[in-house]
PDB file of all heavy atoms in Angstrom:
ATOM      1  N   TYR A   1    -120.752  59.052  29.315  1.00 97.00           N
ATOM      2  CA  TYR A   1    -120.926  60.379  29.743  1.00 97.00           C
ATOM      3  C   TYR A   1    -120.805  61.414  28.625  1.00 97.00           C
ATOM      4  O   TYR A   1    -120.832  62.698  28.893  1.00 97.00           O
ATOM      5  CB  TYR A   1    -120.165  60.833  31.007  1.00 97.00           C
ATOM      6  CG  TYR A   1    -120.522  59.901  32.119  1.00 97.00           C
ATOM      7  CD1 TYR A   1    -119.606  58.817  32.472  1.00 97.00           C
ATOM      8  CD2 TYR A   1    -121.738  60.089  32.998  1.00 97.00           C
ATOM      9  CE1 TYR A   1    -120.022  58.044  33.499  1.00 97.00           C
ATOM     10  CE2 TYR A   1    -121.959  59.302  34.074  1.00 97.00           C
ATOM     11  CZ  TYR A   1    -121.177  58.223  34.404  1.00 97.00           C
ATOM     12  OH  TYR A   1    -121.441  57.480  35.467  1.00 97.00           O
ATOM     13  N   SER A   2    -120.669  60.907  27.474  1.00 97.00           N
ATOM     14  CA  SER A   2    -120.638  61.669  26.181  1.00 97.00           C
ATOM     15  C   SER A   2    -121.372  60.851  25.194  1.00 97.00           C
ATOM     16  O   SER A   2    -121.781  59.846  25.405  1.00 97.00           O
ATOM     17  CB  SER A   2    -119.219  62.050  25.793  1.00 97.00           C
ATOM     18  OG  SER A   2    -118.561  60.960  25.411  1.00 97.00           O
ATOM     19  N   PHE A   3    -121.729  61.496  24.005  1.00 97.00           N
ATOM     20  CA  PHE A   3    -122.466  60.736  23.122  1.00 97.00           C
ATOM     21  C   PHE A   3    -121.676  60.057  21.907  1.00 97.00           C
ATOM     22  O   PHE A   3    -121.778  59.046  21.573  1.00 97.00           O
ATOM     23  CB  PHE A   3    -123.528  61.592  22.283  1.00 97.00           C
ATOM     24  CG  PHE A   3    -124.403  60.774  21.526  1.00 97.00           C
ATOM     25  CD1 PHE A   3    -125.362  59.889  22.020  1.00 97.00           C
ATOM     26  CD2 PHE A   3    -124.403  60.924  20.135  1.00 97.00           C
ATOM     27  CE1 PHE A   3    -126.180  59.145  21.285  1.00 97.00           C
ATOM     28  CE2 PHE A   3    -125.294  60.235  19.396  1.00 97.00           C
ATOM     29  CZ  PHE A   3    -126.222  59.253  19.854  1.00 97.00           C
ATOM     30  N   VAL A   4    -120.610  60.825  21.639  1.00 97.00           N
ATOM     31  CA  VAL A   4    -119.551  60.371  20.566  1.00 97.00           C
ATOM     32  C   VAL A   4    -118.610  59.438  21.279  1.00 97.00           C
ATOM     33  O   VAL A   4    -117.919  59.817  22.277  1.00 97.00           O
ATOM     34  CB  VAL A   4    -118.867  61.485  19.912  1.00 97.00           C
ATOM     35  CG1 VAL A   4    -117.798  61.027  18.847  1.00 97.00           C
ATOM     36  CG2 VAL A   4    -119.748  62.464  19.282  1.00 97.00           C
ATOM     37  N   PRO A   5    -118.391  58.188  20.894  1.00 96.00           N
ATOM     38  CA  PRO A   5    -117.477  57.303  21.600  1.00 96.00           C
ATOM     39  C   PRO A   5    -116.104  57.805  21.458  1.00 96.00           C
ATOM     40  O   PRO A   5    -115.620  58.564  20.452  1.00 96.00           O
ATOM     41  CB  PRO A   5    -117.505  56.174  20.702  1.00 96.00           C
ATOM     42  CG  PRO A   5    -118.903  56.066  20.064  1.00 96.00           C
ATOM     43  CD  PRO A   5    -119.214  57.484  19.857  1.00 96.00           C
ATOM     44  N   PRO A   6    -115.266  57.866  22.583  1.00 92.00           N
ATOM     45  CA  PRO A   6    -113.975  58.510  22.571  1.00 92.00           C
ATOM     46  C   PRO A   6    -112.968  57.902  21.439  1.00 92.00           C
ATOM     47  O   PRO A   6    -112.088  58.708  21.013  1.00 92.00           O
ATOM     48  CB  PRO A   6    -113.470  58.106  23.950  1.00 92.00           C
ATOM     49  CG  PRO A   6    -114.620  57.796  24.761  1.00 92.00           C
ATOM     50  CD  PRO A   6    -115.718  57.281  23.830  1.00 92.00           C
ATOM     51  N   ALA A   7    -113.277  56.723  20.912  1.00 91.00           N
ATOM     52  CA  ALA A   7    -112.277  56.148  19.982  1.00 91.00           C
ATOM     53  C   ALA A   7    -112.579  56.722  18.573  1.00 91.00           C
ATOM     54  O   ALA A   7    -111.851  56.355  17.756  1.00 91.00           O
ATOM     55  CB  ALA A   7    -112.385  54.634  19.955  1.00 91.00           C
ATOM     56  N   THR A   8    -113.662  57.503  18.350  1.00 94.00           N
ATOM     57  CA  THR A   8    -113.979  58.110  17.080  1.00 94.00           C
ATOM     58  C   THR A   8    -112.795  58.946  16.544  1.00 94.00           C
ATOM     59  O   THR A   8    -112.323  59.767  17.204  1.00 94.00           O
ATOM     60  CB  THR A   8    -115.242  58.775  17.144  1.00 94.00           C
ATOM     61  OG1 THR A   8    -116.313  57.944  17.816  1.00 94.00           O
ATOM     62  CG2 THR A   8    -115.655  59.242  15.774  1.00 94.00           C
ATOM     63  N   ALA A   9    -112.472  58.814  15.416  1.00 89.00           N
ATOM     64  CA  ALA A   9    -111.497  59.658  14.733  1.00 89.00           C
ATOM     65  C   ALA A   9    -111.986  61.081  14.696  1.00 89.00           C
ATOM     66  O   ALA A   9    -113.061  61.426  14.439  1.00 89.00           O
ATOM     67  CB  ALA A   9    -111.267  59.206  13.221  1.00 89.00           C
ATOM     68  N   GLY A  10    -111.063  61.993  15.211  1.00 87.00           N
ATOM     69  CA  GLY A  10    -111.280  63.392  15.198  1.00 87.00           C
ATOM     70  C   GLY A  10    -112.179  63.807  16.345  1.00 87.00           C
ATOM     71  O   GLY A  10    -112.696  64.968  16.361  1.00 87.00           O
ATOM     72  N   HIS A  11    -112.377  62.993  17.437  1.00 87.00           N
ATOM     73  CA  HIS A  11    -113.186  63.394  18.475  1.00 87.00           C
ATOM     74  C   HIS A  11    -112.467  64.252  19.594  1.00 87.00           C
ATOM     75  O   HIS A  11    -111.296  63.906  19.803  1.00 87.00           O
ATOM     76  CB  HIS A  11    -113.612  62.102  19.306  1.00 87.00           C
ATOM     77  CG  HIS A  11    -114.504  62.442  20.420  1.00 87.00           C
ATOM     78  ND1 HIS A  11    -114.294  61.963  21.712  1.00 87.00           N
ATOM     79  CD2 HIS A  11    -115.693  63.004  20.437  1.00 87.00           C
ATOM     80  CE1 HIS A  11    -115.313  62.346  22.549  1.00 87.00           C
ATOM     81  NE2 HIS A  11    -116.127  63.050  21.828  1.00 87.00           N
ATOM     82  N   GLY A  12    -112.923  65.284  19.946  1.00 77.00           N
ATOM     83  CA  GLY A  12    -112.284  66.234  20.822  1.00 77.00           C
ATOM     84  C   GLY A  12    -112.276  65.647  22.261  1.00 77.00           C
ATOM     85  O   GLY A  12    -113.155  65.000  22.652  1.00 77.00           O
ATOM     86  N   ASP A  13    -111.184  66.036  22.889  1.00 80.00           N
ATOM     87  CA  ASP A  13    -111.178  65.617  24.306  1.00 80.00           C
ATOM     88  C   ASP A  13    -111.957  66.562  25.323  1.00 80.00           C
ATOM     89  O   ASP A  13    -112.170  67.632  25.018  1.00 80.00           O
ATOM     90  CB  ASP A  13    -109.593  65.674  24.829  1.00 80.00           C
ATOM     91  CG  ASP A  13    -108.737  64.713  24.033  1.00 80.00           C
ATOM     92  OD1 ASP A  13    -109.299  63.718  23.565  1.00 80.00           O
ATOM     93  OD2 ASP A  13    -107.596  65.125  23.910  1.00 80.00           O
ATOM     94  N   GLY A  14    -112.294  65.826  26.435  1.00 89.00           N
ATOM     95  CA  GLY A  14    -112.867  66.642  27.562  1.00 89.00           C
ATOM     96  C   GLY A  14    -114.456  66.856  27.441  1.00 89.00           C
ATOM     97  O   GLY A  14    -114.987  67.556  28.272  1.00 89.00           O
ATOM     98  N   VAL A  15    -115.072  66.205  26.473  1.00 96.00           N
ATOM     99  CA  VAL A  15    -116.402  66.439  26.417  1.00 96.00           C
ATOM    100  C   VAL A  15    -117.257  65.575  27.245  1.00 96.00           C
ATOM    101  O   VAL A  15    -116.980  64.210  27.189  1.00 96.00           O
ATOM    102  CB  VAL A  15    -116.959  66.262  24.894  1.00 96.00           C
ATOM    103  CG1 VAL A  15    -118.470  66.399  24.783  1.00 96.00           C
ATOM    104  CG2 VAL A  15    -116.221  67.258  23.936  1.00 96.00           C
ATOM    105  N   ARG A  16    -117.933  65.945  28.201  1.00 96.00           N
ATOM    106  CA  ARG A  16    -118.709  65.069  29.236  1.00 96.00           C
ATOM    107  C   ARG A  16    -119.894  65.883  29.816  1.00 96.00           C
ATOM    108  O   ARG A  16    -119.919  67.124  29.826  1.00 96.00           O
ATOM    109  CB  ARG A  16    -117.732  64.924  30.420  1.00 96.00           C
ATOM    110  CG  ARG A  16    -116.643  63.766  30.201  1.00 96.00           C
ATOM    111  CD  ARG A  16    -115.562  63.702  31.220  1.00 96.00           C
ATOM    112  NE  ARG A  16    -116.073  63.205  32.492  1.00 96.00           N
ATOM    113  CZ  ARG A  16    -116.231  62.073  32.804  1.00 96.00           C
ATOM    114  NH1 ARG A  16    -116.065  61.099  32.029  1.00 96.00           N
ATOM    115  NH2 ARG A  16    -116.617  61.680  34.010  1.00 96.00           N
ATOM    116  N   LEU A  17    -120.876  65.043  30.207  1.00 98.00           N
ATOM    117  CA  LEU A  17    -121.858  65.564  31.024  1.00 98.00           C
ATOM    118  C   LEU A  17    -121.356  66.344  32.191  1.00 98.00           C
ATOM    119  O   LEU A  17    -120.424  65.803  32.875  1.00 98.00           O
ATOM    120  CB  LEU A  17    -122.885  64.490  31.457  1.00 98.00           C
ATOM    121  CG  LEU A  17    -123.702  63.867  30.336  1.00 98.00           C
ATOM    122  CD1 LEU A  17    -124.311  62.600  30.690  1.00 98.00           C
ATOM    123  CD2 LEU A  17    -124.876  64.801  29.839  1.00 98.00           C
ATOM    124  N   LYS A  18    -121.755  67.587  32.409  1.00 96.00           N
ATOM    125  CA  LYS A  18    -121.211  68.319  33.469  1.00 96.00           C
ATOM    126  C   LYS A  18    -121.288  67.652  34.972  1.00 96.00           C
ATOM    127  O   LYS A  18    -120.416  68.136  35.735  1.00 96.00           O
ATOM    128  CB  LYS A  18    -121.872  69.727  33.590  1.00 96.00           C
ATOM    129  CG  LYS A  18    -123.335  69.847  33.921  1.00 96.00           C
ATOM    130  CD  LYS A  18    -123.811  71.237  33.943  1.00 96.00           C
ATOM    131  CE  LYS A  18    -123.629  72.015  32.706  1.00 96.00           C
ATOM    132  NZ  LYS A  18    -124.159  73.302  32.789  1.00 96.00           N
ATOM    133  N   TRP A  19    -122.098  66.829  35.209  1.00 98.00           N
ATOM    134  CA  TRP A  19    -122.234  66.281  36.519  1.00 98.00           C
ATOM    135  C   TRP A  19    -121.686  64.862  36.499  1.00 98.00           C
ATOM    136  O   TRP A  19    -121.808  64.111  37.469  1.00 98.00           O
ATOM    137  CB  TRP A  19    -123.714  66.281  36.830  1.00 98.00           C
ATOM    138  CG  TRP A  19    -124.576  65.654  35.761  1.00 98.00           C
ATOM    139  CD1 TRP A  19    -125.350  66.429  34.863  1.00 98.00           C
ATOM    140  CD2 TRP A  19    -124.789  64.336  35.431  1.00 98.00           C
ATOM    141  NE1 TRP A  19    -126.122  65.696  34.096  1.00 98.00           N
ATOM    142  CE2 TRP A  19    -125.816  64.416  34.281  1.00 98.00           C
ATOM    143  CE3 TRP A  19    -124.376  63.119  35.705  1.00 98.00           C
ATOM    144  CZ2 TRP A  19    -126.160  63.258  33.626  1.00 98.00           C
ATOM    145  CZ3 TRP A  19    -124.822  62.020  35.121  1.00 98.00           C
ATOM    146  CH2 TRP A  19    -125.625  62.107  34.055  1.00 98.00           C
ATOM    147  N   ALA A  20    -120.878  64.370  35.534  1.00 97.00           N
ATOM    148  CA  ALA A  20    -120.401  63.174  35.354  1.00 97.00           C
ATOM    149  C   ALA A  20    -119.573  62.547  36.493  1.00 97.00           C
ATOM    150  O   ALA A  20    -119.710  61.430  36.879  1.00 97.00           O
ATOM    151  CB  ALA A  20    -119.625  62.867  33.935  1.00 97.00           C
ATOM    152  N   ASP A  21    -119.037  63.459  37.246  1.00 97.00           N
ATOM    153  CA  ASP A  21    -117.966  63.129  38.330  1.00 97.00           C
ATOM    154  C   ASP A  21    -118.688  62.993  39.659  1.00 97.00           C
ATOM    155  O   ASP A  21    -118.018  62.605  40.673  1.00 97.00           O
ATOM    156  CB  ASP A  21    -116.806  64.001  38.318  1.00 97.00           C
ATOM    157  CG  ASP A  21    -115.896  63.838  37.091  1.00 97.00           C
ATOM    158  OD1 ASP A  21    -115.833  62.810  36.523  1.00 97.00           O
ATOM    159  OD2 ASP A  21    -115.397  64.970  36.722  1.00 97.00           O
ATOM    160  N   MET A  22    -119.969  63.141  39.805  1.00 98.00           N
ATOM    161  CA  MET A  22    -120.580  63.333  40.987  1.00 98.00           C
ATOM    162  C   MET A  22    -120.889  61.655  41.437  1.00 98.00           C
ATOM    163  O   MET A  22    -121.217  60.936  40.529  1.00 98.00           O
ATOM    164  CB  MET A  22    -122.096  63.951  40.922  1.00 98.00           C
ATOM    165  CG  MET A  22    -121.956  65.421  40.742  1.00 98.00           C
ATOM    166  SD  MET A  22    -123.663  66.120  40.558  1.00 98.00           S
ATOM    167  CE  MET A  22    -124.437  65.628  42.179  1.00 98.00           C
ATOM    168  N   PRO A  23    -120.790  61.379  42.684  1.00 98.00           N
ATOM    169  CA  PRO A  23    -121.092  60.097  43.116  1.00 98.00           C
ATOM    170  C   PRO A  23    -122.678  59.724  42.841  1.00 98.00           C
ATOM    171  O   PRO A  23    -123.456  60.660  42.723  1.00 98.00           O
ATOM    172  CB  PRO A  23    -120.937  60.012  44.570  1.00 98.00           C
ATOM    173  CG  PRO A  23    -119.920  61.160  44.881  1.00 98.00           C
ATOM    174  CD  PRO A  23    -120.231  62.114  43.675  1.00 98.00           C
ATOM    175  N   PHE A  24    -122.989  58.501  42.605  1.00 98.00           N
ATOM    176  CA  PHE A  24    -124.354  58.145  42.240  1.00 98.00           C
ATOM    177  C   PHE A  24    -125.428  58.606  43.315  1.00 98.00           C
ATOM    178  O   PHE A  24    -126.514  59.217  42.951  1.00 98.00           O
ATOM    179  CB  PHE A  24    -124.478  56.632  41.870  1.00 98.00           C
ATOM    180  CG  PHE A  24    -125.837  56.316  41.445  1.00 98.00           C
ATOM    181  CD1 PHE A  24    -126.349  56.937  40.258  1.00 98.00           C
ATOM    182  CD2 PHE A  24    -126.674  55.449  42.154  1.00 98.00           C
ATOM    183  CE1 PHE A  24    -127.654  56.583  39.736  1.00 98.00           C
ATOM    184  CE2 PHE A  24    -127.929  55.191  41.603  1.00 98.00           C
ATOM    185  CZ  PHE A  24    -128.328  55.791  40.439  1.00 98.00           C
ATOM    186  N   ASP A  25    -125.053  58.563  44.479  1.00 97.00           N
ATOM    187  CA  ASP A  25    -126.141  58.876  45.664  1.00 97.00           C
ATOM    188  C   ASP A  25    -126.281  60.381  45.549  1.00 97.00           C
ATOM    189  O   ASP A  25    -127.458  60.812  45.826  1.00 97.00           O
ATOM    190  CB  ASP A  25    -125.661  58.372  47.039  1.00 97.00           C
ATOM    191  CG  ASP A  25    -124.372  58.826  47.384  1.00 97.00           C
ATOM    192  OD1 ASP A  25    -123.475  59.390  46.602  1.00 97.00           O
ATOM    193  OD2 ASP A  25    -123.893  58.583  48.487  1.00 97.00           O
ATOM    194  N   ALA A  26    -125.222  61.118  45.292  1.00 98.00           N
ATOM    195  CA  ALA A  26    -125.420  62.577  45.164  1.00 98.00           C
ATOM    196  C   ALA A  26    -126.121  62.921  43.920  1.00 98.00           C
ATOM    197  O   ALA A  26    -126.990  63.861  43.941  1.00 98.00           O
ATOM    198  CB  ALA A  26    -123.958  63.240  45.142  1.00 98.00           C
ATOM    199  N   ARG A  27    -126.066  62.224  42.832  1.00 98.00           N
ATOM    200  CA  ARG A  27    -126.796  62.476  41.630  1.00 98.00           C
ATOM    201  C   ARG A  27    -128.307  62.155  41.933  1.00 98.00           C
ATOM    202  O   ARG A  27    -129.164  62.962  41.549  1.00 98.00           O
ATOM    203  CB  ARG A  27    -126.265  61.628  40.606  1.00 98.00           C
ATOM    204  CG  ARG A  27    -124.978  62.078  39.877  1.00 98.00           C
ATOM    205  CD  ARG A  27    -124.278  61.082  39.104  1.00 98.00           C
ATOM    206  NE  ARG A  27    -125.085  60.203  38.237  1.00 98.00           N
ATOM    207  CZ  ARG A  27    -124.606  59.140  37.746  1.00 98.00           C
ATOM    208  NH1 ARG A  27    -123.302  58.849  37.892  1.00 98.00           N
ATOM    209  NH2 ARG A  27    -125.374  58.261  36.993  1.00 98.00           N
ATOM    210  N   GLN A  28    -128.520  61.102  42.592  1.00 98.00           N
ATOM    211  CA  GLN A  28    -129.937  60.670  42.956  1.00 98.00           C
ATOM    212  C   GLN A  28    -130.531  61.847  43.787  1.00 98.00           C
ATOM    213  O   GLN A  28    -131.737  62.167  43.536  1.00 98.00           O
ATOM    214  CB  GLN A  28    -130.069  59.463  43.676  1.00 98.00           C
ATOM    215  CG  GLN A  28    -129.817  58.131  42.818  1.00 98.00           C
ATOM    216  CD  GLN A  28    -129.915  56.987  43.669  1.00 98.00           C
ATOM    217  OE1 GLN A  28    -129.263  56.825  44.703  1.00 98.00           O
ATOM    218  NE2 GLN A  28    -130.714  56.084  43.314  1.00 98.00           N
ATOM    219  N   ALA A  29    -129.786  62.462  44.742  1.00 98.00           N
ATOM    220  CA  ALA A  29    -130.466  63.526  45.562  1.00 98.00           C
ATOM    221  C   ALA A  29    -130.603  64.701  44.683  1.00 98.00           C
ATOM    222  O   ALA A  29    -131.671  65.429  44.862  1.00 98.00           O
ATOM    223  CB  ALA A  29    -129.414  63.836  46.655  1.00 98.00           C
ATOM    224  N   GLU A  30    -129.737  65.145  43.867  1.00 98.00           N
ATOM    225  CA  GLU A  30    -129.845  66.298  43.000  1.00 98.00           C
ATOM    226  C   GLU A  30    -131.056  65.984  41.991  1.00 98.00           C
ATOM    227  O   GLU A  30    -131.823  66.905  41.708  1.00 98.00           O
ATOM    228  CB  GLU A  30    -128.579  66.467  42.271  1.00 98.00           C
ATOM    229  CG  GLU A  30    -128.726  67.686  41.256  1.00 98.00           C
ATOM    230  CD  GLU A  30    -128.995  68.984  41.866  1.00 98.00           C
ATOM    231  OE1 GLU A  30    -129.003  69.113  43.041  1.00 98.00           O
ATOM    232  OE2 GLU A  30    -129.294  69.972  40.973  1.00 98.00           O
ATOM    233  N   ALA A  31    -131.168  64.790  41.539  1.00 98.00           N
ATOM    234  CA  ALA A  31    -132.387  64.442  40.544  1.00 98.00           C
ATOM    235  C   ALA A  31    -133.618  64.590  41.316  1.00 98.00           C
ATOM    236  O   ALA A  31    -134.616  65.153  40.741  1.00 98.00           O
ATOM    237  CB  ALA A  31    -132.213  63.081  40.063  1.00 98.00           C
ATOM    238  N   ARG A  32    -133.801  64.241  42.548  1.00 98.00           N
ATOM    239  CA  ARG A  32    -135.088  64.410  43.298  1.00 98.00           C
ATOM    240  C   ARG A  32    -135.349  65.819  43.443  1.00 98.00           C
ATOM    241  O   ARG A  32    -136.449  66.321  43.404  1.00 98.00           O
ATOM    242  CB  ARG A  32    -135.062  63.653  44.663  1.00 98.00           C
ATOM    243  CG  ARG A  32    -134.877  62.180  44.511  1.00 98.00           C
ATOM    244  CD  ARG A  32    -135.023  61.483  45.933  1.00 98.00           C
ATOM    245  NE  ARG A  32    -134.832  60.114  45.862  1.00 98.00           N
ATOM    246  CZ  ARG A  32    -133.686  59.504  46.028  1.00 98.00           C
ATOM    247  NH1 ARG A  32    -132.700  60.204  46.457  1.00 98.00           N
ATOM    248  NH2 ARG A  32    -133.608  58.133  45.903  1.00 98.00           N
TER     249      ARG A  32
END
């Protein structure tokens, strides 16, 4: 849910797609 792998040296915490925590069925509904 981010592009830079979390294990990368110097990677900042908390970077995520804003909808990452939505359940998948809710994401599908929003996508439609």
Side-chain angles (χ1 to χ4, degrees):
Y1 295 100
S2 62
F3 189 69
V4 179
T8 308
H11 182 238
D13 295 331
V15 180
R16 282 167 66 82
L17 289 161
K18 60 174 57 178
W19 43 263
D21 295 327
M22 291 176 64
F24 184 61
D25 56 352
R27 282 164 37 193
Q28 286 181 305
E30 177 62 9
R32 293 187 186 97

